[in-house]
Amino acid sequence: MSSWVHCAEEFTSIQNNILAAASLTSCILSINGSCLLISHFLRTAGQSSSISASSSLSSPHRKKRTYIFERFIFFLSVADLFSSLAIAISRYHSIVFTTRSKFLLCYIFRSAIDYFWISSWLWTVAIAVYLFRTITLKNDLFLAETLSSNRRNKDYSPLILLILANLTCWTLPLIQVFIFIKYDLFQISSRQQYCMLQEPYDIYGWEIPNVVTFCINFTIFTVIIVLLNYRQCRASAAQSSGQFSAGASRSHHNLNLLINVQKKLLSFLIVFLICWGFDIFQHFGTFLHVLPRSCAYFWLSLFQSFFASLQGFLNCIVYGLSNNTIK
């Protein structure tokens, strides 16, 4: 019983199978969530967005909504899908084959996992940047941009941002994985039948990018929320001074929309913390000698295995539902 609660130098085969099963379960959920978002995008990408001139103001936003924003979500879902597939295959391999993974399979699995997971982190940053540009600079809480509408207005900035995001989010992880392979930084864990980065390179090549990603997203979303609150305060002050004669219902609508946007931005950060909080705590705790380096806690590894692999499913919930609620 002590090995299940206290620090253990090596997990038992039963514990390794439980870790693999937990990770495999969350991977299946993530694969389904990512496929749902991808299929939704592919179904709606070719639909016409023409709006009749007699439509109300909210109708165009609802019919034309987030075609550009949906592209960002689509690429995030692709990264989540393939990272979950790589983890699921590697975990299934560790359950079915009791012997330790072949070193070639270790490189293949871990390279795919690192590449698509890091790409997924970068796509969350790209989405944050796009939201900052659209909500604060363009003052568009509905995220109603489409490629066709922007081309008519000769505004190519969102298309350029999307191209730059693709170059960055798919190229930087490739360079990083190439460095891992070139300098032989992958190893099969002596504690688990699983392939991972060697210490302390797991901190520099994995955890620090993870923390930096969260900090960037946190900073961008905080700036968005602060600016939205500032604008709302100015609008309320102008209304109370009588500058808006019939703006009560409009102000109430804007306030509800503002609260909704703030909740969504916070949910993006909460999902990131849920997925990676245990992983960051375990690796940094070992690196800073808060946790013993020679052993690990099974319960902490269990939470880490389950929630990290759940990223695609939770991204499906918060980013997918944003198509219906943030706008």
Side-chain angles (χ1 to χ4, degrees):
M1 176 64 68
S2 61
S3 64
W4 295 80
V5 180
H6 302 294
C7 178
E9 293 184 1
E10 188 171 346
F11 294 143
T12 65
S13 59
I14 295 177
Q15 289 173 329
N16 279 325
N17 287 339
I18 291 175
L19 292 176
S23 182
L24 188 59
T25 300
S26 56
C27 280
I28 293 174
L29 291 173
S30 293
I31 290 171
N32 289 330
S34 300
C35 287
L36 181 64
L37 287 180
I38 292 172
S39 62
H40 169 76
F41 174 81
L42 295 177
R43 283 199 316 269
T44 59
Q47 292 182 359
S48 173
S49 60
S50 59
I51 310 297
S52 62
S54 60
S55 298
S56 64
L57 179 61
S58 62
S59 179
H61 291 303
R62 295 190 177 277
K63 291 186 179 181
K64 293 173 60 177
R65 78 169 136 218
T66 63
Y67 191 66
I68 295 175
F69 183 56
E70 284 178 352
R71 287 175 178 265
F72 282 91
I73 297 176
F74 169 76
F75 290 118
L76 171 67
S77 302
V78 170
D80 286 337
L81 172 62
F82 284 102
S83 64
S84 298
L85 283 173
I87 299 168
I89 295 172
S90 63
R91 287 302 196 180
Y92 176 79
H93 182 273
S94 67
I95 294 176
V96 173
F97 302 98
T98 56
T99 57
R100 296 194 182 276
S101 301
K102 300 293 185 181
F103 208 64
L104 177 60
L105 289 178
C106 168
Y107 265 74
I108 294 175
F109 290 149
R110 195 67 223 183
S111 297
I113 292 171
D114 282 28
Y115 175 77
F116 288 109
W117 246 342
I118 295 173
S119 176
S120 176
W121 300 344
L122 292 175
W123 275 111
T124 63
V125 174
I127 290 174
V129 172
Y130 177 76
L131 290 175
F132 174 80
R133 170 200 168 273
T134 308
I135 293 176
T136 61
L137 301 183
K138 295 293 184 179
N139 199 25
D140 179 13
L141 294 179
F142 292 94
L143 305 180
E145 288 184 311
T146 64
L147 290 179
S148 58
S149 63
N150 280 79
R151 284 169 183 166
R152 285 196 299 269
N153 298 329
K154 298 189 181 303
D155 180 11
Y156 296 99
S157 57
L159 181 60
I160 294 174
L161 181 60
L162 185 61
I163 294 174
L164 291 177
N166 272 282
L167 291 175
T168 303
C169 296
W170 300 121
T171 304
L172 287 184
L174 186 63
I175 296 173
Q176 184 163 329
V177 170
F178 175 78
I179 294 173
F180 294 161
I181 296 175
K182 178 178 175 59
Y183 292 99
D184 197 20
L185 300 183
F186 291 131
Q187 66 176 2
I188 300 176
S189 171
S190 60
R191 189 176 296 123
Q192 306 177 42
Q193 297 177 13
Y194 201 61
C195 188
M196 54 189 61
L197 277 173
Q198 300 177 22
E199 296 179 353
Y201 304 107
D202 57 338
I203 295 295
Y204 304 118
W206 184 258
E207 299 303 334
I208 289 180
N210 195 336
V211 173
V212 169
T213 298
F214 174 79
C215 291
I216 293 175
N217 288 339
F218 178 81
T219 302
I220 294 176
F221 291 152
T222 301
V223 171
I224 294 175
I225 292 174
V226 169
L227 289 177
L228 289 179
N229 279 319
Y230 173 72
R231 290 177 182 175
Q232 181 61 31
C233 290
R234 288 189 60 184
S236 300
Q239 179 184 342
S240 61
S241 64
Q243 294 184 23
F244 292 109
S245 57
S249 60
R250 175 183 167 185
S251 176
H252 179 72
H253 170 74
N254 289 339
L255 179 60
N256 289 336
L257 186 59
L258 173 64
I259 294 174
N260 198 27
V261 170
Q262 291 175 338
K263 288 180 179 179
K264 277 300 164 185
L265 297 180
L266 290 175
S267 70
F268 297 162
L269 296 175
I270 291 173
V271 163
F272 203 94
L273 280 178
I274 290 175
C275 291
W276 298 106
F278 295 105
D279 184 86
I280 293 172
F281 174 74
Q282 177 161 309
H283 283 84
F284 273 99
T286 303
F287 181 74
L288 298 175
H289 303 288
V290 177
L291 298 175
R293 184 178 294 273
S294 59
C295 56
Y297 294 91
F298 172 75
W299 60 269
L300 185 57
S301 297
L302 180 62
F303 289 147
Q304 174 189 348
S305 298
F306 180 78
F307 286 108
S309 304
L310 202 63
Q311 176 173 291
F313 176 74
L314 295 179
N315 280 344
C316 170
I317 293 177
V318 296
Y319 287 101
L321 290 182
S322 296
N323 287 323
N324 298 320
T325 58
I326 198 172
K327 296 172 286 301

